[in-house]
Amino acid sequence: MSDLDGNSSAPAGDAFGQTQTLKKVKKQKVLLMGKSGSGKSSMRSIIFSNFLARDTRRRGATIDIDLSHVKFLGNLTLNLWDCGGQEAFMENYLSQQRAHVFSNVGVLIYVFDIESRGDVERDLATYVNIISALVQYSREAKVFVLVHKMDLIQPAMREAVFDQRVALVRRKTAEAVSIVRKQKPDASAHPQSPPFPSTQIPDVDLDMQLFATSIWDQSLYKAWASIIHDLVPNLAVIETQLASLGVAIDADEILLFERTSFLVVSKWSSREGERNPYGDRFERMSNILKSWKHTCSKFTGTPRNAEQFSDFEYKMGPNFAMFATKFTTNTYILVCMPPGEARFNSAKLNVAAARPWFRFLDGPPVPMSSSSQMLAGGGYGSEAAGGSES
């Protein structure tokens, strides 16, 4: 079986014996841009290289383009272009290297330094030129704008300052798109697309999201989890499987994390879980577990990119219980549920039994044998571990 792009795919069974198509995706080109000193490389080091925020102060400025291939979930490769933000480099990207840099882009991440008061207009002018180049060569790309270093703004003023910057960036984005619409389309930029008549300019509907971020709190995880979420292959399959698991074990909420970065890949909440008033609880858990991993590394002497723990449990008396455990080769799973020792133990056993249904997360899907399906299906419910506590 193959999809429309010629990529191979295979069916995967869900908890109810149904099949869903799994698609194999190619590499995703991600541009990370912004003026020099805005914090691009620091956030990349924290998310993908397990640096602590305080350790990023030792990083120097990026020279030209720092190209890296980041493996995510075993079946997604991010072709990450960390572009130096010095003026000479920016001019080069927009002139001599324009087609090379801005072609075939899946995601653009542009970082604004909120404290850059003196160069705001210059920074915005560069942003307009970059958006124009992106629309010219990669019209379908998604854009994420991070208003960074928000920790330098007084807490009472952060929301107002962020809203002002959002309005300004949206206005400049509209200007950039209008510039492209007034230009004659470049047929060489889209050789596979039919040429547009000189009197017909294609509509441009830019997909853009904005986030307020800081390397010193969980806001960085919220932004990058949103970025990765749109790139994860087979997301609909993951969400369906996770919901089936949540119902089967009577959980309040389930989070699925990528192993190295601890970014939230997918999540599920019951009706009770949706009543939780803390909207940033998912990225808070990313931050907490990442910090716990750093603590383990510190006291065991193991490399920070190595696996540091297999299980983490927390029981809050009559309020709730939760556990985080190694799930597949490239993921951890966190389950939050009502209190009760029998329910807790049953959930842990059933999560272990559900692992075969998620092994497609680790790479190309492998068809399950009938015996494997029976074994996995037999354990995928509360009855397998003696039932849940009422």
Side-chain angles (χ1 to χ4, degrees), residues 139 185-197 200 202:
R139 187 170 289 114
D186 184 0
S188 64
H190 305 280
Q192 296 179 348
S193 303
F196 293 95
Q200 180 185 353

mmCIF file of all heavy atoms in Angstrom, residues 139 185-197 200 202:
data_model
loop_
_atom_site.group_PDB
_atom_site.id
_atom_site.type_symbol
_atom_site.label_atom_id
_atom_site.label_comp_id
_atom_site.label_asym_id
_atom_site.label_seq_id
_atom_site.Cartn_x
_atom_site.Cartn_y
_atom_site.Cartn_z
ATOM 1 N N ARG A 139 5.125 28.064 -0.144
ATOM 2 C CA ARG A 139 3.848 28.691 0.206
ATOM 3 C C ARG A 139 3.071 27.908 1.259
ATOM 4 O O ARG A 139 2.274 28.468 2.005
ATOM 5 C CB ARG A 139 3.004 28.863 -1.067
ATOM 6 C CG ARG A 139 1.722 29.641 -0.879
ATOM 7 C CD ARG A 139 1.062 29.985 -2.206
ATOM 8 N NE ARG A 139 1.820 30.994 -2.922
ATOM 9 C CZ ARG A 139 2.451 30.778 -4.088
ATOM 10 N NH1 ARG A 139 2.416 29.585 -4.638
ATOM 11 N NH2 ARG A 139 3.104 31.745 -4.676
ATOM 12 N N PRO A 185 4.287 35.937 -10.163
ATOM 13 C CA PRO A 185 4.763 34.671 -9.613
ATOM 14 C C PRO A 185 5.985 34.157 -10.345
ATOM 15 O O PRO A 185 6.076 34.277 -11.565
ATOM 16 C CB PRO A 185 3.557 33.740 -9.809
ATOM 17 C CG PRO A 185 2.388 34.644 -9.926
ATOM 18 C CD PRO A 185 2.877 35.886 -10.577
ATOM 19 N N ASP A 186 6.916 33.607 -9.587
ATOM 20 C CA ASP A 186 8.147 33.058 -10.141
ATOM 21 C C ASP A 186 7.918 31.599 -10.485
ATOM 22 O O ASP A 186 7.832 30.740 -9.610
ATOM 23 C CB ASP A 186 9.281 33.200 -9.108
ATOM 24 C CG ASP A 186 10.620 32.735 -9.663
ATOM 25 O OD1 ASP A 186 10.651 32.303 -10.829
ATOM 26 O OD2 ASP A 186 11.616 32.803 -8.916
ATOM 27 N N ALA A 187 7.810 31.276 -11.779
ATOM 28 C CA ALA A 187 7.528 29.900 -12.192
ATOM 29 C C ALA A 187 8.653 28.957 -11.796
ATOM 30 O O ALA A 187 8.434 27.779 -11.519
ATOM 31 C CB ALA A 187 7.309 29.839 -13.708
ATOM 32 N N SER A 188 9.886 29.479 -11.746
ATOM 33 C CA SER A 188 11.014 28.617 -11.389
ATOM 34 C C SER A 188 10.977 28.201 -9.940
ATOM 35 O O SER A 188 11.575 27.203 -9.548
ATOM 36 C CB SER A 188 12.338 29.347 -11.680
ATOM 37 O OG SER A 188 12.447 30.503 -10.860
ATOM 38 N N ALA A 189 10.253 28.974 -9.104
ATOM 39 C CA ALA A 189 10.165 28.619 -7.682
ATOM 40 C C ALA A 189 9.250 27.444 -7.462
ATOM 41 O O ALA A 189 9.368 26.732 -6.473
ATOM 42 C CB ALA A 189 9.676 29.822 -6.886
ATOM 43 N N HIS A 190 8.300 27.228 -8.382
ATOM 44 C CA HIS A 190 7.349 26.121 -8.259
ATOM 45 C C HIS A 190 7.255 25.393 -9.595
ATOM 46 O O HIS A 190 6.259 25.492 -10.312
ATOM 47 C CB HIS A 190 5.959 26.643 -7.860
ATOM 48 C CG HIS A 190 5.982 27.453 -6.617
ATOM 49 N ND1 HIS A 190 6.014 26.890 -5.372
ATOM 50 C CD2 HIS A 190 6.019 28.802 -6.429
ATOM 51 C CE1 HIS A 190 6.039 27.854 -4.456
ATOM 52 N NE2 HIS A 190 6.054 29.010 -5.076
ATOM 53 N N PRO A 191 8.324 24.674 -10.006
ATOM 54 C CA PRO A 191 8.359 24.052 -11.325
ATOM 55 C C PRO A 191 7.276 23.008 -11.536
ATOM 56 O O PRO A 191 6.908 22.723 -12.670
ATOM 57 C CB PRO A 191 9.760 23.411 -11.367
ATOM 58 C CG PRO A 191 10.137 23.241 -9.930
ATOM 59 C CD PRO A 191 9.513 24.390 -9.218
ATOM 60 N N GLN A 192 6.740 22.415 -10.453
ATOM 61 C CA GLN A 192 5.724 21.378 -10.601
ATOM 62 C C GLN A 192 4.321 21.963 -10.656
ATOM 63 O O GLN A 192 3.368 21.241 -10.920
ATOM 64 C CB GLN A 192 5.824 20.379 -9.441
ATOM 65 C CG GLN A 192 7.143 19.616 -9.429
ATOM 66 C CD GLN A 192 7.225 18.648 -8.267
ATOM 67 O OE1 GLN A 192 6.402 18.696 -7.348
ATOM 68 N NE2 GLN A 192 8.200 17.773 -8.291
ATOM 69 N N SER A 193 4.182 23.259 -10.405
ATOM 70 C CA SER A 193 2.879 23.888 -10.400
ATOM 71 C C SER A 193 2.635 24.576 -11.733
ATOM 72 O O SER A 193 3.572 25.109 -12.353
ATOM 73 C CB SER A 193 2.780 24.913 -9.265
ATOM 74 O OG SER A 193 3.035 24.286 -8.028
ATOM 75 N N PRO A 194 1.393 24.590 -12.222
ATOM 76 C CA PRO A 194 1.108 25.286 -13.476
ATOM 77 C C PRO A 194 1.327 26.774 -13.307
ATOM 78 O O PRO A 194 1.049 27.343 -12.252
ATOM 79 C CB PRO A 194 -0.380 24.965 -13.714
ATOM 80 C CG PRO A 194 -0.922 24.633 -12.361
ATOM 81 C CD PRO A 194 0.200 23.983 -11.627
ATOM 82 N N PRO A 195 1.868 27.450 -14.318
ATOM 83 C CA PRO A 195 2.137 28.902 -14.195
ATOM 84 C C PRO A 195 0.847 29.683 -14.088
ATOM 85 O O PRO A 195 -0.175 29.320 -14.673
ATOM 86 C CB PRO A 195 2.877 29.215 -15.500
ATOM 87 C CG PRO A 195 2.433 28.140 -16.453
ATOM 88 C CD PRO A 195 2.224 26.911 -15.613
ATOM 89 N N PHE A 196 0.858 30.755 -13.308
ATOM 90 C CA PHE A 196 -0.309 31.608 -13.157
ATOM 91 C C PHE A 196 -0.282 32.692 -14.225
ATOM 92 O O PHE A 196 0.793 33.240 -14.532
ATOM 93 C CB PHE A 196 -0.326 32.259 -11.764
ATOM 94 C CG PHE A 196 -0.527 31.281 -10.658
ATOM 95 C CD1 PHE A 196 0.566 30.752 -9.981
ATOM 96 C CD2 PHE A 196 -1.798 30.878 -10.289
ATOM 97 C CE1 PHE A 196 0.382 29.854 -8.961
ATOM 98 C CE2 PHE A 196 -1.981 29.978 -9.258
ATOM 99 C CZ PHE A 196 -0.897 29.455 -8.602
ATOM 100 N N PRO A 197 -1.419 33.032 -14.795
ATOM 101 C CA PRO A 197 -1.448 34.151 -15.738
ATOM 102 C C PRO A 197 -0.987 35.426 -15.044
ATOM 103 O O PRO A 197 -1.101 35.564 -13.835
ATOM 104 C CB PRO A 197 -2.936 34.245 -16.130
ATOM 105 C CG PRO A 197 -3.509 32.907 -15.788
ATOM 106 C CD PRO A 197 -2.733 32.415 -14.619
ATOM 107 N N GLN A 200 -3.404 36.984 -12.745
ATOM 108 C CA GLN A 200 -3.959 36.197 -11.641
ATOM 109 C C GLN A 200 -2.877 35.861 -10.629
ATOM 110 O O GLN A 200 -1.948 35.118 -10.926
ATOM 111 C CB GLN A 200 -4.586 34.897 -12.166
ATOM 112 C CG GLN A 200 -5.184 34.030 -11.062
ATOM 113 C CD GLN A 200 -5.692 32.709 -11.602
ATOM 114 O OE1 GLN A 200 -5.720 32.494 -12.799
ATOM 115 N NE2 GLN A 200 -6.088 31.818 -10.704
ATOM 116 N N PRO A 202 -1.929 34.068 -7.074
ATOM 117 C CA PRO A 202 -2.510 33.064 -6.185
ATOM 118 C C PRO A 202 -2.752 33.604 -4.787
ATOM 119 O O PRO A 202 -1.986 34.427 -4.289
ATOM 120 C CB PRO A 202 -1.445 31.954 -6.166
ATOM 121 C CG PRO A 202 -0.162 32.661 -6.475
ATOM 122 C CD PRO A 202 -0.532 33.768 -7.438
#
